[in-house]
């Protein structure tokens, strides 16, 4: 596409990742999301910011929470929202990815929210469509709205991001959430620690700007925030870690391990949780320290802010399509 | 001699096998080299071409070319590959057996040879499968395949994973002094890996292939070579550790040789940034440090040959999410330009580079050619060593346009290519 780069407060055509966003881009989105948090607590949650716009949620990987969060966000902004779930098994690999892109493009959507199991797939698709594309998770690459909602959750609770020490624990290797959070937190001046067994830590993680720990207690020392990641079943049973019980013993977040973090440290999880695998229920359900429910609420607000920011860069119908 | 005689005068004659690099004349008599040197007596009835100072070098022998024939002719046929080869100064292609069907039977070697005779404009030397179906289990009939014309044995882009199979193949091949060619990639260690393991792969969220996937396979095979006395060649190496391993093995006197692709000498893993699947190769492009080690390996002779690894893939197979995209790049047409570009960048000297695509592959495979010796078939290229141009994948002659070095500036232009003294390519 040879379109002019959009100008304005959020000068991006698509949101493909946190990489490429500046401090002011991120701050802009978080500020906008902040206002939507209050808005979403009113009785009348509907606005007309996206009135007339069509939003398609294209999910090549099933996801209940992210898809419904995007759906709700679009609907509250007044967009027409369509959900398309393309079961991974039915897709003949990426061959239909570009076919699907071409088909959808012909329907003239304004906003395309895409989740795909392959890293880079959303960016590839974005090259082939003329609407704004929002990455809702691509392989082990990025999940930018998750990082934004996590940042909003932290900022609302602690008032800032800068100077905080954040631990991300678990399956870092396969986690797009970890990558996006690492990028965002680093950019906003927080320091990030990655904690997990060597088999779940990616090569060269230190070069991405994080301190890496295999001992959870050591890694948690002095942390303001502890982000737990979901461990996928297929990673267990001897492939990358020997067993659930050993994983829980070494890396499951319980009160004892949490006591090594800063007093009053807060706990986060992108969901869905495996209780008794990566997190103990006593920690997850403790409203004093767990931000897990806040995260879900912030998710809708952040997605509204992102949808609105991208829609603001869409050409008006009078100017023709891009 | 009553046949046609042609003299190519005023040429810079380069032949690494004779340590030749001088201005002079190449005389072709009946499709063979009749004389070469500073002062050549020209027969009376001789046609004369003034090369105007351009270089004449032996036609290149590309030791690793995948085509789609038989079975996937939409990717490449022997005919189209040979046209690309001719345009790149390559006069002999060594074709890989992992076609459909796999070239694992003497009749199929014969098929390739006959198809090449009828359709290809350069020489084609087929490698045959090392195991039936390239499945890694049962040895093929090395004796019969050799008699049919197979120049070496390989499972193409698939590693022989079973150590016992490899041991037996090396042992049995030693009977015939046949060359066993391995794609050194431990598939278990590769697992889901699609690019060099490291910071960039982590950032892109792509599974990495550690250099150890290559070196552990080489280490294992070298032990088996020492055990069996077979002749062993690694089609392409990609890492600094592999260069060191092979350098040490050669010092010990192990019968090992190896190749590298011109693309791996020119590019590094940064070329896959932004999920650029056209630079997705097997073995993968690695760090700049690895690239520099490969250059040193070529310079000191640790690496014997440079290949294109020509692997045509249609756009649909490449325009995929990176992990799903096909491996490979076309390269037979740009092999020489790539090497000359390295020469002009002062990375490697000309004679060393040219030996890696002429004399050395000929010696490894026992082929006549790769040199400009009197009595040899007149397979040569006329080249402007310094002429700059920009690679345009769409303008390449291959049926597929998946060029990893698309849009790159290169230096060195082939003006004409001759096989048996006949022009098979002339620059328009």
């Amino acid at each position: 596409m040879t379109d002019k780069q959009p100008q304005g407060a959020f000068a991006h055509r698509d949101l493909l990742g946190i990489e490429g966003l500046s401090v002011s881009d991120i701050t802009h989105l978080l500020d906008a999301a902040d206002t939507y948090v209050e808005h979403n607590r009113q009785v009348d949650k509907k606005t007309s910011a996206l009135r007339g716009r069509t939003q398609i949620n294209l999910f090549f990987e099933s996801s209940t929470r992210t898809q419904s969060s995007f759906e709700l966000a679009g609907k509250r902004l007044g967009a027409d929202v369509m959900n398309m779930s393309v079961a991974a098994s039915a897709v003949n690999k990426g061959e239909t990815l570009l076919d699907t892109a071409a088909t959808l493009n012909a329907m003239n959507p304004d906003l395309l929210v895409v989740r795909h199991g392959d890293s880079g797939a959303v960016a590839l698709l974005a090259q082939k469509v003329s609407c704004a594309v929002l990455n809702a998770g691509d392989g082990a690459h990025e999940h930018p709205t998750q990082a934004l909602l996590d940042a909003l959750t932290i900022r609302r609770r602690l008032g800032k991001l800068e100077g905080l020490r954040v631990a991300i624990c678990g399956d870092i290797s396969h986690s797009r959430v970890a990558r996006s959070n690492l990028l965002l937190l680093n950019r906003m001046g927080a320091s990030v620690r990655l904690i997990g067994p060597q088999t779940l830590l990616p090569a060269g993680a230190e070069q991405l700007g994080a301190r890496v720990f295999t001992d959870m207690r050591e890694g948690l020392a002095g942390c303001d925030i502890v982000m737990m990641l979901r461990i996928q079943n297929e990673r267990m049973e001897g492939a990358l870690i020997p067993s659930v019980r050993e994983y829980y013993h070494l890396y499951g977040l319980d009160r004892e391990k949490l006591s090594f973090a800063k007093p009053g440290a807060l706990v986060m999880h992108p969901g869905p949780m495996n209780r008794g695998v990566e997190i103990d229920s006593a920690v997850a359900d403790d409203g004093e320290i767990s931000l897990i429910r806040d995260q879900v609420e912030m998710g809708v607000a952040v997605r509204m802010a992102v949808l609105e920011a991208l829609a603001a860069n869409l050409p008006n119908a009078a100017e023709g399509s891009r | 001699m009553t046949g046609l005689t042609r003299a190519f005068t005023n040429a810079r004659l380069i032949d690494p096998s004779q340590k030749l690099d001088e201005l002079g004349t190449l005389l072709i008599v009946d499709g063979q080299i009749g004389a070469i040197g500073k002062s050549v007596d020209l027969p009376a009835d001789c046609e004369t071409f003034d090369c105007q100072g351009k270089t004449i070098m032996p036609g290149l022998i590309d030791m690793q070319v995948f085509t789609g024939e038989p079975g996937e002719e939409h990717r490449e046929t022997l005919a189209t590959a040979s046209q690309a080869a001719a345009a790149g100064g390559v006069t002999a292609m060594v074709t890989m057996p992992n076609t459909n069907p796999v070239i694992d039977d003497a009749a199929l070697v014969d098929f390739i040879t006959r198809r090449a005779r009828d359709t290809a404009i350069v020489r084609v030397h087929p490698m045959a499968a090392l195991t039936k179906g390239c499945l890694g289990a049962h040895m093929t009939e090395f004796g019969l395949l050799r008699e049919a014309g197979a120049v070496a044995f390989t499972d193409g882009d698939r590693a022989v994973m079973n150590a016992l199979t490899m041991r037996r193949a090396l042992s049995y091949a030693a009977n015939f002094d046949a060359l066993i060619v391995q794609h050194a990639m431990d598939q278990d260690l590769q697992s889901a890996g699609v690019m060099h393991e490291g910071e960039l792969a982590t950032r892109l969220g792509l599974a990495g292939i550690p250099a150890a996937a290559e070196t552990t396979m080489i280490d294992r095979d070298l032990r088996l070579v020492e055990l069996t006395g077979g002749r062993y060649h690694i089609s392409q190496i990609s890492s600094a550790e592999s260069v060191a391993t092979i350098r040490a093995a050669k010092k010990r006197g192990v019968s090992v040789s190896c190749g590298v692709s011109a693309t791996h000498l020119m590019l590094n893993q940064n070329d896959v940034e932004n999920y650029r699947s056209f630079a997705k190769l097997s073995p993968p492009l690695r760090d700049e440090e690895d690239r520099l080690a490969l250059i040193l390996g070529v310079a000191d002779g640790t690496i014997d040959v440079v290949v294109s690894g020509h692997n045509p893939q249609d756009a649909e197979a490449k325009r995929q999410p990176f992990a799903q995209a096909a491996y490979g790049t076309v390269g037979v047409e740009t092999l020489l330009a790539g090497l000359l570009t390295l020469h002009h960048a002062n990375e490697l000297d000309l004679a060393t580079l040219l030996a890696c695509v002429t004399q050395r592959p000929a010696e490894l495979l026992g082929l006549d050619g790769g040199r400009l010796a009197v009595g040899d078939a007149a397979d040569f290229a006329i080249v402007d060593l310094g002429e700059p141009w920009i690679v345009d994948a769409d303008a390449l002659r291959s049926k597929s346009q998946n060029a990893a070095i698309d849009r790159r500036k290169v230096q060195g232009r082939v003006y004409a290519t001759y096989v048996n003294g006949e022009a098979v390519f002339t620059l328009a």
Side-chain angles (χ1 to χ4, degrees):
Chain A
M1 300 279 151
T2 55
D3 311 290
K4 259 192 327 198
Q5 187 66 31
Q7 306 290 316
F10 185 77
H12 299 275
R13 184 197 132 172
D14 305 310
L15 179 68
L16 299 177
I18 297 297
E19 192 167 39
L21 296 190
S22 65
V23 172
S24 68
D25 287 334
I26 293 166
T27 307
H28 171 78
L29 291 176
L30 295 182
D31 291 347
D34 235 340
T35 65
Y36 279 119
V37 175
E38 309 310 327
H39 173 87
N40 284 339
R41 288 173 181 170
Q42 301 168 29
V43 176
D44 183 1
K45 303 175 179 67
K46 197 102 171 169
T47 78
S48 56
L50 295 189
R51 209 175 131 199
R53 297 292 190 190
T54 302
Q55 171 189 337
I56 299 181
N57 297 335
L58 178 60
F59 277 60
F60 291 89
E61 253 184 11
S62 62
S63 151
T64 313
R65 24 179 90 213
T66 306
Q67 183 165 328
S68 48
S69 182
F70 270 110
E71 183 177 355
L72 206 51
K75 284 181 170 166
R76 283 185 181 167
L77 292 172
D80 292 318
V81 183
M82 185 181 97
N83 289 318
M84 268 188 74
S85 295
V86 189
S89 58
V91 182
N92 178 13
K93 302 297 175 187
E95 191 170 24
T96 56
L97 177 65
L98 295 186
D99 291 345
T100 309
T103 307
L104 287 177
N105 201 41
M107 299 180 190
N108 296 319
D110 301 291
L111 295 147
L112 196 53
V113 177
V114 187
R115 168 168 290 191
H116 196 284
D118 281 315
S119 301
V122 180
L124 179 67
L125 189 142
Q127 293 167 15
K128 299 290 163 195
V129 297
S130 42
C131 58
V133 174
L134 219 159
N135 183 0
D138 65 322
H141 178 224
E142 283 231 44
H143 189 358
T145 56
Q146 179 71 44
L148 287 163
L149 76 87
D150 287 342
L152 182 65
T153 308
I154 298 171
R155 203 178 76 164
R156 285 178 64 92
R157 188 66 168 250
L158 298 179
K160 61 169 187 178
L161 294 167
E162 195 175 354
L164 296 179
R165 183 181 284 183
V166 181
I168 305 176
C169 314
D171 184 1
I172 313 291
S173 263
H174 302 90
S175 175
R176 52 195 173 215
V177 175
R179 279 170 183 72
S180 287
N181 264 311
L182 174 59
L183 289 166
L184 187 148
L185 291 166
N186 268 341
R187 184 129 315 154
M188 301 307 284
S191 72
V192 179
R193 295 176 158 205
L194 302 176
I195 304 173
Q198 200 63 257
T199 45
L200 296 180
L201 289 168
E206 297 88 351
Q207 288 152 272
L208 299 180
R211 286 191 68 190
V212 176
F213 294 85
T214 52
D215 181 311
M216 191 166 187
R217 292 174 181 84
E218 198 188 317
L220 288 181
C223 285
D224 301 278
I225 300 285
V226 183
M227 287 183 176
M228 299 307 297
L229 298 173
R230 177 181 165 78
I231 185 109
Q232 307 283 339
N233 285 321
E234 60 266 29
R235 314 281 180 234
M236 294 181 278
E237 309 308 337
L240 290 164
I241 49 176
S243 69
V244 171
R245 67 178 187 182
E246 174 149 318
Y247 185 78
Y248 183 70
H249 177 67
L250 294 172
Y251 299 100
L253 186 67
D254 53 19
R255 288 198 189 276
E256 188 272 327
K257 292 199 196 73
L258 185 59
S259 71
F260 285 80
K262 202 177 203 175
L266 300 166
V267 176
M268 303 174 75
H269 193 298
M273 284 182 281
N274 293 309
R275 292 167 184 269
V277 179
E278 71 258 354
I279 193 163
D280 184 55
S281 285
V283 173
D285 299 336
D286 182 343
E288 291 295 305
I289 56 170
S290 168
L291 298 177
I292 295 169
R293 278 192 205 147
D294 300 25
Q295 287 174 276
V296 179
E297 184 187 1
M298 296 311 129
V300 179
V302 154
R303 286 166 182 133
M304 288 170 79
V306 172
L307 288 167
E308 191 186 15
L310 292 179
N313 294 331
L314 288 170
N316 292 321
E319 295 166 14
S321 63
R322 17 183 227 178
Chain B
M1 283 283 174
T2 55
L4 186 64
T5 59
R6 279 186 187 144
F8 296 83
T9 62
N10 195 17
R12 178 177 170 188
L13 303 163
I14 299 183
D15 178 3
S17 77
Q18 307 177 53
K19 299 206 178 351
L20 177 76
D21 186 351
E22 64 184 17
L23 275 177
T25 297
L26 177 72
L27 183 69
I28 308 301
V29 181
D30 261 351
Q32 294 183 334
I33 293 172
I36 181 169
K38 219 172 284 182
S39 46
V40 169
D41 294 328
L42 299 186
D45 60 343
C46 169
E47 277 183 64
T48 303
F49 294 88
D50 183 349
C51 294
Q52 299 174 323
K54 290 194 183 63
T55 296
I56 289 183
M57 62 176 69
L60 273 56
I61 301 171
D62 187 343
M63 207 168 140
Q64 195 186 32
V65 174
F66 297 86
T67 77
E69 187 166 357
E72 294 188 21
E73 286 83 356
H74 65 283
R75 285 168 50 205
E76 190 87 291
T77 62
L78 290 167
T80 54
S82 75
Q83 283 151 20
V90 173
T91 56
M93 307 187 289
V94 178
T95 54
M96 295 296 109
N98 52 321
T99 46
N100 183 15
V102 165
I103 309 304
D104 58 3
D105 188 283
L108 291 161
V109 173
D110 190 51
F111 167 79
I112 296 287
T113 310
R114 281 183 292 111
R115 280 295 286 175
R117 181 197 64 204
D118 295 345
T119 66
I121 59 174
V122 304
R123 295 179 200 280
V124 172
H125 301 289
M127 279 195 201
L130 178 60
T131 62
K132 295 214 170 76
C134 291
L135 295 174
H138 304 288
M139 257 189 286
T140 54
E141 298 160 316
F142 296 167
L144 292 173
L145 290 163
R146 257 172 83 81
E147 282 175 31
V151 294
F153 301 91
T154 182
D155 280 352
D157 57 5
R158 203 180 286 186
V160 177
M161 282 291 288
N162 186 306
L164 180 58
T165 304
M166 184 49 106
R167 178 195 175 168
R168 286 175 176 158
L170 284 164
S171 273
Y172 190 70
N175 293 345
F176 310 96
D177 200 29
L179 187 66
I180 297 296
V181 179
Q182 171 76 300
H183 178 73
M185 173 85 79
D186 185 303
Q187 288 160 14
D188 293 329
L189 283 173
Q190 174 180 12
S191 186
V194 291
M195 67 172 287
H196 177 57
E197 181 173 285
E199 184 239 330
L200 181 60
T202 295
R203 194 150 51 76
L204 293 173
L206 294 171
I209 305 172
E214 184 170 291
T215 48
T216 53
M217 187 57 96
I218 295 173
D219 283 336
R220 180 200 80 177
D221 286 350
L222 290 175
R223 296 286 170 193
L224 299 175
V225 172
E226 290 178 271
L227 182 66
T228 57
R231 281 176 67 215
Y232 175 73
H233 177 84
I234 303 144
S235 54
Q236 289 186 29
I237 62 171
S238 66
S239 74
E241 292 91 327
S242 299
V243 177
T245 300
I246 292 162
R247 185 177 288 134
K250 284 188 166 183
K251 210 170 245 176
R252 290 205 303 279
V254 183
S255 165
V256 56
S257 57
C258 68
V260 66
S261 91
T263 314
H264 284 79
L265 295 177
M266 297 178 76
L267 308 184
N268 64 30
Q269 62 162 347
N270 292 331
D271 287 276
V272 307
E273 186 78 79
N274 295 321
Y275 302 100
R276 193 168 163 264
S277 60
F278 283 75
K280 179 181 176 183
L281 306 177
S282 179
L285 294 168
R286 297 193 185 273
D287 264 340
E288 177 63 5
E289 281 162 31
D290 292 299
R291 189 189 74 85
L292 293 172
L294 293 170
I295 296 268
L296 283 178
V298 172
D300 73 5
T302 301
I303 296 173
D304 303 84
V305 299
V306 180
V307 300
S308 70
H310 184 77
N311 193 350
Q313 299 288 349
D314 54 53
E316 285 65 40
K318 278 288 187 184
R319 295 216 172 91
Q320 300 257 15
F322 194 90
Q324 310 290 347
Y327 288 97
T329 175
V330 293
V332 68
E333 190 170 341
T334 53
L335 173 61
L336 178 61
L339 295 186
L340 291 174
T341 305
L342 289 167
H343 162 62
H344 291 298
N346 292 319
E347 297 211 65
L348 282 163
D349 80 82
L350 187 58
T352 304
L353 278 173
L354 293 183
C356 289
V357 286
T358 56
Q359 176 194 2
R360 298 257 192 74
E363 287 169 0
L364 276 176
L365 298 171
L367 302 174
D368 291 326
R371 59 189 180 199
L372 299 173
V374 173
D376 274 358
D379 295 358
F380 62 95
I382 303 177
V383 181
D384 183 325
L385 294 181
E387 186 175 318
W389 56 290
I390 294 172
V391 176
D392 174 4
D394 293 334
L396 297 177
R397 284 150 184 86
S398 179
K399 243 187 185 182
S400 297
Q401 274 77 45
N402 56 309
I405 62 165
D406 190 25
R407 312 317 310 165
R408 282 230 160 198
K409 289 177 190 158
V410 291
Q411 256 182 293
R413 192 67 136 159
V414 175
Y415 271 72
T417 304
Y418 289 78
V419 173
N420 285 330
E422 297 298 329
V424 292
F425 168 76
T426 312
L427 187 66

